[in-house]
Structure formats: structure tokens, C-alpha cells
């Protein structure tokens, strides 16, 4: 019997691999259309050795190779345990399920057992299943776990403990302790995620109502790049250079880099930044207009001025005017080095700062730009 099933597996292997690829693509599409942010999706076809082991452990259970419902499996790994439920609902809504073989393994354990084995669905492909109609009549498994559930399952499997009874009594207590820690970690990660979402949702109102109480960080900086005074000052810098302001520039690390720059020069709140940019508005625009044409190699490949350019020039001005600050640090934070060395960049920055100060002195402006003793 087993030899016949293994032979059927070998003959059907190309079809199983095709189903795996199609099922992964189908699952990725569903998750993408639902707007869910997950860690990754993978697929696998059960190896021959694994199938043979399963057939030996469960003799007489499978009359045909189609009765082995996990030959093809799709694994969905989420960031948070709460997303396991979201993906589970998605699978239930869009598939005909073999409920006899589908199982939420996390609900099978005693209260003192860490139930981190996730959710396993067996999908019955029908002629109406989008993307998969060519495989109608076949089945595949969908395994859904959080990333910590996945880590637990993989390590537990690697240790060879397939069930509770397999764990020696002397190590069970440590397993339970570790299980509790992982469960708490999963809950804390979910709490952090909710706090982060709440922070982002309330950020615009808090910036509008009480900017002095909003800390400069990556999220607040990302918001500031799209509102006055940063956005308007960026536009003025771009206009002075007769180039486009690249509002859609894809650089997810830029807000964090700009936040680090501002912390370095002593600006820690949104309110302080807003006041400083308004106060040194003319100096920032003029400094950028003098500096950027001399450093074209460092920015013209982008095709315009990047969001936050006014913040960069404000930071360079403060670094030049304050002996305790070093423009080299800003060049390093922003990763501005490219075809030009850091030394070349800083040398040019200092020369242009001296030129700006000479212009202001000639015009009778006595206030440096910005002052050495500006707000912290």
C-alpha cells in the first residue's frame, strides 16, 4: 500500500509543485488586496522521506495519495498574533475548507501549555477558486502563525518534541516558563503596535495644537515633511535653484536621518523646529542657493531637491556657527558622501558659510545665521 502511494506521489510531483506556486501567488494576492502587513509567505511540497515517515506512523489511514491533505502547504507568517486571526478570516472568506482536517491548534492545549502551533486550514480547490481553477479537486494546507509562534514551533520541532508527552518531566517546567515569556512577548509586541498606530493617528492634531510637546522622531519628522513650515521652505529652496521638489522621493530612512540631525544640533521638539525655521527662513534659503550649485555631484542625480532639504541646510548652518558642533557629523548622519569625500563636502560647506556671513555683514546684518547660542 505504502509503495503504491509513494509511487503516486512521485508521478504527481510536478503537479504538486505547480499547485504550490499557484497557491502562494494566490495567497499573496489575497493578503495584498486586504492591505495586511505580514512577515512572509512561503510554500512547500512534502518531501518523499517525510511522506514515507507519515505513512509508517499512520498505517492504513490513507487509501489514495489525495487523502494526504498536507502534501502541498502554504505558510503565512505574521508579525503579530492578532494578525493570525485576520489572515484566518481571509482564508475562510475566500475558500471552501475541509473542516474535518482543518484545525486551530492553539485552542487544543491546556491553560498551562503554550499553544503556539498556529492555525492549519485545508483548502478544497473548486472550479470557482480564483487563480486556482486549473487545480480543482485538489487540496492544500494553509498554516498561519505569528513570527513568535513560528520560532517556537521550529525550535520545538528541532528538539524532537512533537507533543507534550515527549517532553521529559525535568525539562517541562523550563518549557512552560519559556512559553509564558513568549506569550507575554507576543502580547507586548501587539501593545507596542497599537501604541504606534495611536501615536501616528493623533500626531497631526498634536502638532497643530501643542507642537512644543511633540518630540522629534522618525514619525513626527515624516509628518513634518508634508506640512508648513518645512514643506514651504523646501519649496522655496527648490524654487531658488530652479529645480523640482521631489515630494514623492522614496527614502524611508530619511525622516530618521533628519531627526538624528536635529537632535545633534540641539532641536528636540516640533515647536522649536518650527520657530527656528521661521526665524532663519532667509538664511536657510540663501545658504542652500549658494551651497547646492557647488555640490551638484552630491544631489543632481536625484533630479531635484529632496524633502527636508531646508532641515539639512538649517542643521549645517547651526553646525558651522557653533564650535561645539561638527559638520562632519551631519554629513555622516545623512550619508551625503558619494562622488565627493566627507572632507570635500565639509570644506565647501564652511566656505559657503563664510561667504554668507560676509554678505550679511556687508548688508549690515549683525545677527549670525543661525546664532551660536540658539535654542536647544
Amino acid at each position: 500500500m505504502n509503495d503504491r502511494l509513494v509511487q503516486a506521489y512521485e508521478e504527481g510531483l510536478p503537479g504538486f509543485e505547480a499547485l504550490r506556486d499557484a497557491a502562494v501567488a494566490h495567497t499573496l494576492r489575497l493578503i495584498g488586496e486586504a492591505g495586511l502587513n505580514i512577515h512572509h509567505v512561503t510554500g512547500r511540497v512534502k518531501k518523499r522521506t517525510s511522506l514515507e515517515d507519515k505513512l509508517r506512523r499512520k498505517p492504513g489511514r490513507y487509501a489514495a495519495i489525495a487523502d494526504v491533505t498536507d502534501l502541498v502547504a502554504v505558510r503565512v507568517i505574521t508579525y503579530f498574533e492578532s494578525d493570525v486571526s485576520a489572515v484566518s478570516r481571509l482564508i475562510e472568506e475566500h475558500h471552501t475548507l475541509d473542516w474535518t482536517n482543518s484545525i486551530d491548534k492553539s485552542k487544543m492545549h491546556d491553560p498551562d501549555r503554550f499553544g503556539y502551533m498556529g492555525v492549519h486550514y485545508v483548502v478544497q480547490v473548486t472550479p470557482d477558486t480564483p487563480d486556482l481553477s486549473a487545480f480543482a479537486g485538489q487540496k492544500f494546507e494553509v498554516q498561519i502563525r505569528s513570527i513568535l509562534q513560528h520560532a517556537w514551533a521550529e525550535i520545538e520541532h528541532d528538539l524532537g518534541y512533537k507533543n507534550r508527552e515527549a517532553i521529559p518531566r525535568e525539562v517541562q517546567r523550563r518549557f512552560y516558563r519559556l512559553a509564558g515569556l513568549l506569550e507575554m512577548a507576543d502580547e507586548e509586541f501587539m501593545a507596542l503596535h497599537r501604541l504606534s498606530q495611536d501615536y501616528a493617528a493623533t500626531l497631526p492634531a498634536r502638532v497643530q495644537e501643542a507642537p512644543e510637546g511633540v518630540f522629534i522622531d522618525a514619525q513626527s519628522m515624516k509628518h513634518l515633511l508634508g506640512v508648513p513650515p518645512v514643506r514651504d521652505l523646501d519649496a522655496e529652496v527648490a524654487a531658488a535653484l530652479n529645480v523640482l521638489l521631489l515630494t514623492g522621493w522614496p527614502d524611508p530612512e530619511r525622516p530618521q536621518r533628519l531627526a538624528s540631525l536635529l537632535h545633534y544640533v540641539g532641536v528636540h521638539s516640533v515647536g522649536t523646529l518650527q520657530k527656528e525655521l521661521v526665524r532663519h527662513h532667509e538664511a536657510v534659503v540663501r545658504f542652500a542657493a549658494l551651497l547646492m550649485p557647488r555640490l551638484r555631484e552630491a544631489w543632481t542625480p536625484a533630479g531635484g531637491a529632496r524633502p527636508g532639504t531646508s532641515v539639512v541646510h538649517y542643521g549645517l548652518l547651526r553646525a558651522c556657527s557653533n564650535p561645539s558642533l561638527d559638520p562632519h557629523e551631519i554629513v555622516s548622519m545623512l550619508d551625503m558622501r558619494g562622488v565627493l569625500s566627507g572632507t570635500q563636502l565639509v570644506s565647501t560647506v564652511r566656505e559657503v558659510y563664510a561667504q554668507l556671513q560676509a554678505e550679511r555683514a556687508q548688508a549690515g546684518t549683525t545677527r549670525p545665521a543661525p546664532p551660536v547660542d540658539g535654542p536647544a
Side-chain angles (χ1 to χ4, degrees), residues 38-321:
I38 58 139
H39 187 264
H40 70 265
V41 176
T42 59
R44 66 110 179 102
V45 174
K46 187 180 285 294
K47 295 180 180 178
R48 172 173 173 161
T49 54
S50 179
L51 173 63
E52 290 173 334
D53 178 61
K54 186 168 191 170
L55 295 175
R56 281 193 299 269
R57 286 188 287 107
K58 301 177 180 180
R61 178 169 178 176
Y62 305 106
I65 195 64
D67 296 333
V68 184
T69 58
D70 65 343
L71 284 176
V72 176
V74 174
R75 178 172 290 168
V76 181
I77 306 299
T78 70
Y79 287 105
F80 308 105
E81 186 183 3
S82 57
D83 290 332
V84 172
S85 297
V87 176
S88 297
R89 289 193 298 271
L90 197 65
I91 297 301
E92 291 181 17
E93 291 169 3
H94 289 83
H95 295 99
T96 299
L97 299 180
D98 175 357
W99 286 107
T100 301
N101 294 296
S102 298
I103 185 171
D104 185 346
K105 295 188 176 182
S106 66
K107 296 178 180 177
M108 294 176 59
H109 301 295
D110 295 332
D112 63 347
R113 174 77 166 116
F114 186 53
Y116 260 13
M117 300 189 67
V119 180
H120 291 191
Y121 288 121
V122 174
V123 172
Q124 173 72 61
V125 182
T126 71
D128 299 325
T129 306
D131 310 324
L132 299 175
S133 58
F135 302 94
Q138 298 188 51
K139 297 180 180 181
F140 65 92
E141 187 175 74
V142 179
Q143 304 169 359
I144 311 166
R145 297 171 178 162
S146 75
I147 196 167
L148 287 183
Q149 289 174 333
H150 179 60
W152 171 271
E154 290 296 297
I155 293 172
E156 190 176 41
H157 182 271
D158 188 60
L159 291 173
Y161 299 140
K162 294 182 179 294
N163 55 60
R164 180 177 183 175
E165 288 69 28
I167 305 175
R169 288 185 60 84
E170 54 267 30
V171 300
Q172 280 190 18
R173 184 169 180 271
R174 284 186 174 271
F175 257 79
Y176 294 153
R177 287 170 59 191
L178 178 59
L181 289 173
L182 285 176
E183 191 166 17
M184 290 177 62
D186 219 339
E187 291 174 354
E188 287 302 309
F189 277 128
M190 287 190 289
L192 287 171
H193 182 55
R194 288 192 295 270
L195 285 172
S196 179
Q197 290 180 317
D198 292 343
Y199 176 81
T202 61
L203 189 60
R206 290 187 293 111
V207 167
Q208 184 70 27
E209 297 167 5
E212 293 293 348
V214 181
F215 191 69
I216 293 286
D217 55 29
Q219 281 188 291
S220 59
M221 198 68 239
K222 181 179 179 180
H223 170 71
L224 291 174
L225 291 177
V227 299
V230 176
R231 181 194 61 196
D232 294 348
L233 197 48
D234 282 350
E236 285 198 45
V237 169
L241 295 164
N242 196 30
V243 298
L244 292 174
L245 177 61
L246 305 175
T247 53
W249 184 262
D251 187 355
E253 294 184 2
R254 188 162 176 83
Q256 180 58 61
R257 293 181 184 276
L258 294 174
S260 298
L261 178 159
L262 290 170
H263 291 171
Y264 177 69
V265 301
V267 176
H268 300 286
S269 78
V270 170
T272 299
L273 175 63
Q274 291 174 336
K275 292 175 183 177
E276 283 290 280
L277 292 182
V278 171
R279 182 184 181 192
H280 301 292
H281 172 280
E282 293 181 5
V284 168
V285 175
R286 180 58 181 160
F287 183 60
L290 291 172
L291 177 63
M292 293 182 77
R294 295 187 57 178
L295 297 175
R296 290 190 179 278
E297 301 94 325
W299 65 274
T300 50
R306 296 164 65 185
T309 185
S310 58
V311 175
V312 172
H313 288 90
Y314 166 77
L316 290 171
L317 279 171
R318 279 189 65 89
C320 288
S321 67

